């Protein structure tokens, strides 16, 4: 009986020691700090790509031409769709929101809500028209002058434990009235993940 109790105590101590060695620690870090644990697309990639591409888009002649032909008015842009054609799951909504923020922050163009968002606002406007004072009138929405769309692609090259992943983002801006493509932008990100000599 004493031997059984001794073994039980020893087993418990070993379990405690092993679980102690594998404990998890969580630290709060700056949300703007990039922490890349893998070569996968992350929030920093989304932010950097959107800022660079929108900056490039707004540097092209289409915006100057539009303002000169429209008494200096700012063009209005709508984001149609950005397709994820990469090998991994990428939150398209997060990337779209980064694109929206970059457009609005620039102050050079205005932004129109998506079709789903417009439908929700129309429902709310219709409800207010029946139930609220000073309700906003229907039929006064701002139309989009240009539509932004594109895709995210990826390419993976791997040898033994080393892997190079390339992400390619292609965006284009279309004139809603003429269907003219007034801007076409491309941004590539290349990430190298190397196998440690001590294993992953």
């Amino acid at each position: 009986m004493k031997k059984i109790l001794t073994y039980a105590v020893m087993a418990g101590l070993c379990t405690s020691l092993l679980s102690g060695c594998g404990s998890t620690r969580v630290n709060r870090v700056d949300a703007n700090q990039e922490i890349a644990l893998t070569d996968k697309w992350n929030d920093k990639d989304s932010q950097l790509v959107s800022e660079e591409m929108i900056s490039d888009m707004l540097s092209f002649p289409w915006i100057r031409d539009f303002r000169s032909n429209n008494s200096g008015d700012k063009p209005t842009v709508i984001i149609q769709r950005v397709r994820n054609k990469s090998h991994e799951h990428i939150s398209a909504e997060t990337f779209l929101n980064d694109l929206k923020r970059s457009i609005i922050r620039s102050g050079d163009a205005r932004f129109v809500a998506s079709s789903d968002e417009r439908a929700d606002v129309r429902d709310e406007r219709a409800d207010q028209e029946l139930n609220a004072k000073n309700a906003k009138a229907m039929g006064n929405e701002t139309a989009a002058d240009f539509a932004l769309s594109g895709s995210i692609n990826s390419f993976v090259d791997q040898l033994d434990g080393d892997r190079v992943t390339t992400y390619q983002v292609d965006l284009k801006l279309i004139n809603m009235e003429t269907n003219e493509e007034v801007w076409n932008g491309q941004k590539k990100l290349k990430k190298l993940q190397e196998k440690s000599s001590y294993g992953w």
Side-chain angles (χ1 to χ4, degrees), residues 82-128:
V82 177
R83 292 183 174 89
N84 176 22
K85 297 181 179 179
S86 72
H87 70 288
E88 67 183 70
H89 171 73
I90 292 177
S91 175
E93 184 176 357
T94 300
F95 183 56
L96 289 176
N97 284 333
D98 283 337
L99 289 172
K100 293 175 186 178
R101 276 193 295 275
S102 295
I103 291 172
I104 295 170
R105 189 186 298 118
S106 72
D108 293 323
R110 295 179 297 171
F111 180 77
V112 175
S114 67
S115 57
D116 290 340
E117 292 168 325
R118 292 198 307 273
D120 289 340
V121 172
R122 286 169 186 158
D123 289 342
E124 179 63 29
R125 193 183 297 125
D127 180 74
Q128 289 188 16

Side-chain angles (χ1 to χ4, degrees), residues 39-164:
D39 59 345
K40 291 184 177 181
W41 177 277
N42 60 34
D43 61 326
K44 198 65 176 179
D45 298 327
S46 177
Q47 178 189 342
L48 292 174
V49 169
S50 62
E51 288 176 357
E52 286 188 28
M53 295 196 79
I54 295 303
S55 177
D56 182 64
M57 182 186 83
L58 295 174
S59 71
F60 271 58
W62 67 272
I63 190 167
R64 179 200 63 210
D65 295 342
F66 179 88
R67 299 190 76 162
S68 66
N69 293 329
N70 292 273
S71 304
D73 286 348
K74 297 177 183 179
T76 304
V77 177
I78 186 170
I79 298 179
Q80 287 186 307
R81 183 186 303 172
V82 177
R83 292 183 174 89
N84 176 22
K85 297 181 179 179
S86 72
H87 70 288
E88 67 183 70
H89 171 73
I90 292 177
S91 175
E93 184 176 357
T94 300
F95 183 56
L96 289 176
N97 284 333
D98 283 337
L99 289 172
K100 293 175 186 178
R101 276 193 295 275
S102 295
I103 291 172
I104 295 170
R105 189 186 298 118
S106 72
D108 293 323
R110 295 179 297 171
F111 180 77
V112 175
S114 67
S115 57
D116 290 340
E117 292 168 325
R118 292 198 307 273
D120 289 340
V121 172
R122 286 169 186 158
D123 289 342
E124 179 63 29
R125 193 183 297 125
D127 180 74
Q128 289 188 16
E129 198 169 56
L130 293 173
N131 302 299
K133 294 180 180 178
N134 303 319
K136 300 301 180 185
M138 302 289 274
N140 289 327
E141 297 178 18
T142 300
D145 302 305
F146 298 89
L148 182 66
S149 61
S151 63
I152 304 173
N153 291 278
S154 64
F155 315 92
V156 179
D157 189 15
Q158 187 164 359
L159 179 63
D160 298 327
D162 297 338
R163 182 169 64 228
V164 176

Side-chain angles (χ1 to χ4, degrees), residues 181-199:
E181 187 171 319
V182 297
W183 173 77
N184 190 304
Q186 183 181 96
K187 174 66 178 177
K188 290 184 180 181
L189 291 177
K190 186 169 288 189
K191 294 187 170 186
L192 170 62
Q193 180 170 293
E194 299 177 280
K195 182 179 180 180
S196 168
S197 57
Y198 298 102

